[in-house]
């Protein structure tokens, strides 16, 4: 357990949707948010497999924190189809301190619930989660 | 208390320079006062002490505004905390509970806590959970001492110890970052990864705001400027807008109190005129920079020139302080490094996989982080010293209040979360498992 963890619980739905994305590839991305009243992380939105990176980027609110899972498809230099599952902690500089604090202090626990994350990113502005960054980290 | 399981917790952060205390959920701490206290040795029962005690007994019944006497029998000293320090008293020494960022005198800390709870926040500690921010360098023993004092003396219902670096990191939205906390008494660099402080990465240096203040003071003195403490003179209006300054003779003022008052002035000079130079300070190049004027409390106006840049540059190049007459050398000069070196060394002691991420989120916090241009200069120098095309990003909240109080603010939000209520180290757990359980509850 990390020092100063928030104690935020995780809704079972978060795990189920993640497993579906991982095993059945039924989603391109999943956006999670923290429901302070329910004291847990919940699924906010899922993206169909036909959607692309731009649709995903557009789903991250400009001034609010979120967690996100993105399934990135790419072709390697050997012309091989591959995919990597990204975990993104989205915490824009323009969001409120309270929101930043809640998301950062709940992340460790939440991430442990999702078994199978391959790459992890923390982003505070759109450039830190740009397609070039994702492409770079996938290799 | 308000609504359901919401508990109004108290958040307290005793730094080497100031103590920050307030209610969880607030944006800023309600009470901010010096972490040093005044102390008068009590030799026997003097009339004055007797009178003081009587006054205290009388005011105690009204939830007293008088300072608490510390365990009279044992220590025989009277401590003055908070505003009590504003008044000069004969034979009053100014002492600090800390040395190099860690507590060495728990008795003083106890008095500071007491002052914060009963005279500033006006609360009964038995009714409120306490979140204490602690230095990343705190040892297990010190944590247990703090917990014991809180449960045994203040009888708090629940307690939590959160690490400074983690609170700062979280408050900026990052679970992983390199926290550069430049406070009053020291500067601490610590890597935080997924909410854990990586102990081997922690680097400390005695160069903080107070050291810079001392350098400023000594440098001015060497140029013939006499800083007169506010208590040592009286201003008389002799004509409209014209003042005559009369020196007061107070032979029983201690050297430490005089120094404390002079530092307060030097510190204000520093905060008003200083700015980090864009490149390393060079005595020759800065010889002719335009000066800035500053009016001292006694009315004399001084001109500050090269020192505006030289003093803050000591953070980057500590050996520069040795060129100022009267500044003591460091006992262990090997351990004193400039800020960029500390950052690089700290990062290099971490796992190779996370170095990139740390360098791209260096967080500046603490009072000294407010010096102009500090962020830009640090970013530039770390970039130059780090190898290859690493992305280096130094971040500091645009809001100076948030920067100065980032630790407290982080604690305030955390302790106010409904979900956090299960995380407290409760009195029942303390009674069942003993004090060492704090290491499990607050790792």
């Amino acid at each position: 357990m990390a020092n100063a963890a928030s104690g935020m619980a995780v809704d079972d739905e978060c795990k189920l949707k993640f497993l579906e994305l991982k095993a059945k590839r039924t989603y391109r991305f999943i956006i999670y948010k923290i429901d302070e009243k329910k004291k847990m992380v919940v699924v906010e939105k899922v993206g169909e497999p036909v959607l692309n990176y731009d649709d995903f980027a557009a789903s991250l609110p400009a001034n609010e924190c979120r967690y996100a899972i993105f399934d990135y498809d790419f072709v390697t230099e050997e012309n091989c189809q591959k995919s990597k599952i990204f975990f993104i902690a989205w915490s824009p500089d323009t969001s409120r301190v309270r929101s930043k604090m809640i998301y950062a202090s709940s992340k460790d626990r939440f991430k442990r619930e999702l078994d199978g994350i391959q790459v992890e990113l923390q982003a505070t502005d759109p450039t830190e989660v740009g397609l070039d960054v994702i492409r770079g980290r996938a290799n | 208390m308000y609504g359901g399981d919401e508990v109004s917790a108290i958040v307290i952060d005793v730094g080497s320079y100031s103590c920050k205390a307030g209610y969880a959920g607030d944006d800023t701490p309600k009470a901010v006062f010096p972490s040093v206290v005044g102390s008068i040795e009590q030799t026997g029962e003097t009339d004055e002490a007797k009178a003081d005690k009587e006054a205290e007994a009388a005011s105690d019944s009204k939830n007293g505004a008088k300072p608490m006497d510390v365990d009279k029998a044992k220590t025989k000293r009277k401590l003055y905390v908070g505003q009590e320090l504003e008044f000069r008293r004969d034979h009053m020494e100014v002492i600090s509970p800390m040395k190099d960022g860690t507590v060495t005198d728990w008795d003083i800390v106890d008095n500071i806590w007491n002052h914060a709870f009963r005279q500033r926040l006006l609360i009964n500690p038995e009714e409120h959970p306490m979140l204490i921010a602690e230095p990343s360098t705190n040892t297990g023993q010190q944590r247990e001492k703090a917990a014991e004092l809180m449960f045994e003396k203040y009888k708090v219902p629940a307690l939590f110890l959160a690490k400074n670096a983690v609170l700062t990191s979280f408050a900026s939205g990052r679970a992983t970052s390199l926290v550069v906390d430049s406070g009053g008494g020291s500067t601490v660099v610590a890597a935080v990864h997924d909410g854990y402080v990586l102990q081997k990465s922690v680097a400390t240096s005695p160069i903080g705001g107070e050291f810079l203040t001392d350098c400023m003071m000594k440098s001015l003195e060497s140029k013939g400027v006499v800083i007169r403490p506010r208590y040592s003179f009286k201003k008389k209006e002799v004509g409209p807008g014209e003042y005559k300054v009369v020196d007061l003779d107070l032979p029983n003022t201690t050297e430490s109190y005089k120094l404390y008052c002079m530092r307060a002035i030097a510190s204000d000079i520093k905060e008003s005129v200083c700015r980090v130079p864009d490149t390393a300070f060079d005595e020759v190049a800065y010889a002719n920079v335009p000066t800035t004027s500053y009016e001292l409390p006694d009315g004399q106006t001084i001109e500050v020139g090269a020192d505006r840049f030289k003093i803050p540059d000591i953070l980057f190049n500590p050996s520069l302080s040795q060129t100022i007459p009267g500044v003591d050398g460091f006992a262990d000069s090997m351990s004193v490094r400039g800020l960029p070196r500390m950052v690089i060394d700290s990062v290099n002691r971490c796992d190779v996989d996370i170095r990139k991420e740390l360098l791209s989120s260096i967080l500046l916090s603490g009072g000294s982080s407010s010096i102009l241009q500090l962020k830009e200069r640090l970013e530039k120098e770390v970039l130059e010293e780090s190898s290859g095309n690493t992305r280096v990003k130094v971040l500091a909240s645009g809001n100076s209040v948030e920067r100065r109080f980032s630790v407290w603010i982080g604690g305030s939000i955390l302790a106010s979360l409904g979900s956090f209520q299960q995380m407290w180290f409760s009195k029942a757990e303390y009674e069942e498992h003993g004090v060492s359980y704090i290491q499990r509850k607050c790792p």
Side-chain angles (χ1 to χ4, degrees):
Chain A
M1 187 177 59
N3 174 265
S6 70
M8 206 64 76
V10 179
D11 187 9
D12 287 342
E13 195 65 16
C14 298
K15 230 186 325 192
L16 294 175
K17 287 277 188 285
F18 177 77
L19 287 174
E20 284 177 37
L21 176 141
K22 189 172 80 168
K24 301 188 208 152
R25 312 208 63 196
T26 43
Y27 308 113
R28 173 63 55 207
F29 60 84
I30 310 169
I31 310 278
Y32 301 98
K33 67 181 259 182
I34 289 178
D35 188 325
E36 248 201 279
K37 282 212 186 81
K38 286 190 190 155
K39 297 178 206 164
M40 55 163 72
V41 186
V42 298
V43 174
E44 183 188 44
K45 186 178 174 181
V46 291
E48 299 301 311
V50 293
L51 298 178
N52 60 19
Y53 169 80
D54 292 332
D55 300 305
F56 163 68
S59 302
L60 293 173
N63 300 314
E64 279 175 63
C65 301
R66 290 291 184 268
Y67 301 122
I69 290 290
F70 180 63
D71 187 6
Y72 177 58
D73 282 335
F74 60 105
V75 181
T76 62
E77 280 171 20
E78 295 86 40
N79 216 9
C80 181
Q81 272 284 335
K82 277 188 124 180
S83 86
K84 281 251 163 96
I85 298 176
F86 279 72
F87 175 88
I88 294 139
W90 172 240
S91 180
D93 285 329
T94 48
S95 59
R96 300 193 46 190
V97 190
R98 186 174 174 85
S99 163
K100 289 179 188 172
M101 183 77 201
I102 297 174
Y103 277 79
S105 58
S106 309
K107 189 184 107 172
D108 191 48
R109 161 88 192 276
F110 176 59
K111 216 178 59 188
R112 280 164 205 268
E113 299 281 336
L114 310 181
D115 185 23
I117 294 167
Q118 288 163 299
V119 189
E120 196 192 322
L121 290 179
Q122 67 177 352
T124 56
D125 67 57
T127 64
E128 287 179 326
V129 60
L131 193 53
D132 51 329
V133 175
I134 292 194
R135 202 177 286 135
R137 291 289 298 273
N139 295 313
Chain B
M1 292 223 196
Y2 45 95
D5 53 0
E6 295 265 359
V7 195
S8 56
I10 299 297
V11 179
I12 185 158
D13 171 16
V14 182
S16 52
Y17 179 74
S18 63
C19 167
K20 285 80 72 175
Y23 309 102
D26 281 4
D27 291 340
T28 48
K30 271 271 176 308
V32 181
F33 58 90
S35 286
V36 290
V37 300
S39 161
I40 297 181
E41 298 284 331
Q42 309 269 289
T43 44
E45 198 81 328
T46 61
D47 284 354
E48 196 185 310
K50 242 185 224 162
D52 263 0
K53 253 181 223 163
E54 274 158 27
E56 195 177 291
S59 59
D60 257 353
S61 52
K62 298 173 268 163
N63 205 2
K66 272 267 159 186
M68 299 290 154
D69 238 340
V70 213
D71 219 349
K72 291 159 210 161
K74 257 190 264 163
T75 58
K76 286 215 172 165
R77 64 176 181 184
K78 191 172 171 71
L79 298 182
Y80 297 88
V81 194
Q83 301 107 315
E84 300 277 336
L85 204 57
E86 301 292 312
F87 308 105
R88 193 205 64 85
R89 288 177 167 82
D90 284 351
H91 307 296
M92 181 172 78
E93 298 279 358
V94 176
I95 50 177
S96 164
M98 311 244 203
K99 201 173 177 293
D100 299 331
T102 46
V103 175
T104 49
D105 189 332
W106 280 99
D107 180 37
I108 302 179
V109 173
D110 184 12
N111 274 263
I112 290 174
W113 282 350
N114 201 9
H115 176 81
F117 299 151
R118 301 192 198 272
Q119 271 136 56
R120 305 304 282 272
L121 302 178
L122 304 175
I123 54 122
N124 177 0
E126 288 176 33
E127 294 164 1
H128 299 263
M130 297 287 162
L131 185 138
I132 306 180
E134 57 165 4
S136 311
T137 49
N138 247 10
T139 60
Q141 215 182 351
Q142 281 170 314
R143 319 181 80 217
E144 288 182 16
K145 174 80 196 166
E148 205 180 295
L149 203 54
M150 274 292 174
F151 282 118
E152 296 294 342
K153 176 156 186 220
Y154 294 97
K155 302 197 167 25
V156 297
L159 174 73
F160 197 85
L161 298 182
K163 292 201 159 56
N164 287 348
V166 175
L167 291 177
T168 296
S169 183
F170 283 179
S172 78
R174 288 165 178 80
T176 299
S177 70
L178 189 77
V179 179
V180 178
D181 185 350
S182 191
S186 62
T187 295
V188 181
V189 178
V192 176
H193 185 245
D194 275 346
Y196 295 89
V197 172
L198 303 177
Q199 288 299 339
K200 60 180 190 289
S201 76
V202 178
T204 61
S205 136
I207 300 179
E210 290 189 337
F211 183 76
L212 298 187
T213 298
D214 278 353
C215 289
M216 176 58 100
M217 201 161 74
K218 292 280 188 320
S219 180
L220 289 173
E221 275 174 9
S222 74
K223 294 184 172 75
V225 174
V226 180
I227 299 177
R228 281 198 282 192
R230 192 67 193 80
Y231 67 81
S232 72
F233 60 86
K234 244 187 189 154
K235 265 179 166 179
K236 271 189 188 155
E237 192 162 11
V238 288
E242 262 184 82
Y243 294 92
K244 197 176 148 219
V245 176
V246 185
D247 278 316
L248 301 174
D249 185 31
L250 303 159
N252 290 329
T253 310
T254 61
E255 205 47 42
S256 64
Y257 188 74
K258 184 179 170 202
L259 198 61
Y260 169 75
C261 293
M262 285 166 67
R263 274 190 184 141
I265 299 170
S267 169
D268 189 62
I269 302 175
K270 178 191 75 181
E271 283 164 28
S272 314
V273 305
C274 281
R275 189 199 135 114
V276 179
D278 297 336
T279 52
F281 179 82
D282 170 3
E283 204 82 51
V284 181
Y286 280 89
N288 293 316
V289 290
T291 60
T292 305
S293 37
Y294 181 92
E295 190 187 338
L296 292 173
D298 64 359
Q300 57 169 321
T301 302
I302 57 166
E303 295 291 330
V304 190
D307 281 344
R308 289 174 58 202
F309 301 96
K310 183 175 177 176
I311 302 296
D313 203 51
I314 293 169
L315 282 172
F316 291 84
N317 180 12
S319 61
L320 203 54
S321 65
Q322 307 304 308
T323 64
I324 298 171
V327 173
D328 297 336
F330 305 106
D332 177 13
S333 59
M334 284 307 287
S335 70
V336 179
R337 293 158 291 171
L339 218 40
R341 195 68 249 158
M342 283 173 77
V343 167
I344 299 283
D345 288 352
S346 178
V347 169
N348 285 343
R349 264 179 270 139
C350 297
D351 197 283
V352 107
D353 297 338
I354 64 163
R355 289 183 193 167
K356 253 180 119 168
E357 194 171 6
L358 291 174
L359 283 171
S360 67
S361 48
I362 300 172
L363 303 176
L364 263 187
S365 74
S368 303
S369 68
S370 301
I371 307 177
L372 292 176
Q373 294 293 313
L374 182 62
K375 180 178 119 174
E376 289 76 6
R377 172 78 181 279
L378 183 62
E379 186 165 296
K380 180 173 161 267
E381 296 223 342
V382 172
L383 189 62
E384 281 167 9
E385 287 207 34
S386 63
S387 49
N389 50 355
T390 329
R391 182 186 147 114
V392 174
K393 198 171 163 194
V394 179
L395 305 126
S397 168
N399 180 331
S400 69
V401 176
E402 263 178 33
R403 219 183 296 180
R404 195 171 154 216
F405 298 134
S406 66
V407 169
W408 190 90
I409 294 172
S412 165
I413 299 168
L414 191 68
S416 70
L417 296 178
S419 61
F420 186 74
Q421 306 317 319
Q422 54 179 311
M423 310 303 280
W424 294 105
F425 179 26
S426 72
K427 193 174 179 162
E429 284 172 310
Y430 171 75
E431 277 157 6
E432 192 184 334
H433 302 284
V435 71
S436 61
Y437 202 58
I438 189 89
Q439 320 286 11
R440 292 263 304 275
K441 289 296 284 190
C442 320

